[in-house]
Amino acid sequence: MPDGSLMRAHTLPETPPVSLDEAISRLEAGQGEDMIVDLGNGRTASADGHRGNEGLLQRLRGHRMMLALASGAADLSRFETTPDKVSVAPMVQEILDAATQKD
């Protein structure tokens, strides 16, 4: 192309893409090899990163949570906030604590 941008061509998958919830279930059961996941609006996901199926599972769980937050379907009632304190999930707090520790 004249502006130097690249266009990537992908072959159509041999098997049809699976839904988000089905993909998460398969990956949790250890059955996600060579799976293409339909994210909607013509977007798909696959385990093409360096973390393989584990990375795909993490991305899909995050995508599902973002969809729930965007639609208002996420239950955030267990996270109470106070005006002077930011409340985060326990696992997020653990990551933040580990990141601030000095060796």
Side-chain angles (χ1 to χ4, degrees):
M1 302 185 103
D3 64 350
S5 61
L6 299 174
M7 181 182 297
R8 295 183 186 165
H10 296 283
T11 58
L12 292 174
E14 293 179 15
T15 58
V18 298
S19 70
L20 179 62
D21 290 330
E22 181 181 348
I24 291 172
S25 295
R26 284 188 190 181
L27 288 166
E28 289 174 340
Q31 302 169 351
E33 293 304 315
D34 300 322
M35 182 172 45
I36 304 294
V37 184
D38 181 6
L39 299 176
N41 298 321
R43 295 173 297 133
T44 60
S46 62
D48 56 2
H50 71 280
R51 292 187 56 211
N53 284 343
E54 180 185 330
L56 177 61
L57 177 59
Q58 183 176 354
R59 291 191 322 263
L60 294 179
R61 285 176 174 162
H63 183 72
R64 181 172 60 184
M65 178 56 78
M66 294 304 293
L67 290 173
L69 288 170
S71 70
D75 178 17
L76 301 176
S77 61
R78 66 180 184 191
F79 298 109
E80 295 180 16
T81 60
T82 59
D84 61 339
K85 185 177 178 184
V86 176
S87 179
V88 297
M91 291 184 75
V92 172
Q93 187 62 52
E94 184 178 330
I95 292 168
L96 293 173
D97 290 344
T100 59
Q101 288 182 356
K102 295 182 180 179
D103 293 328

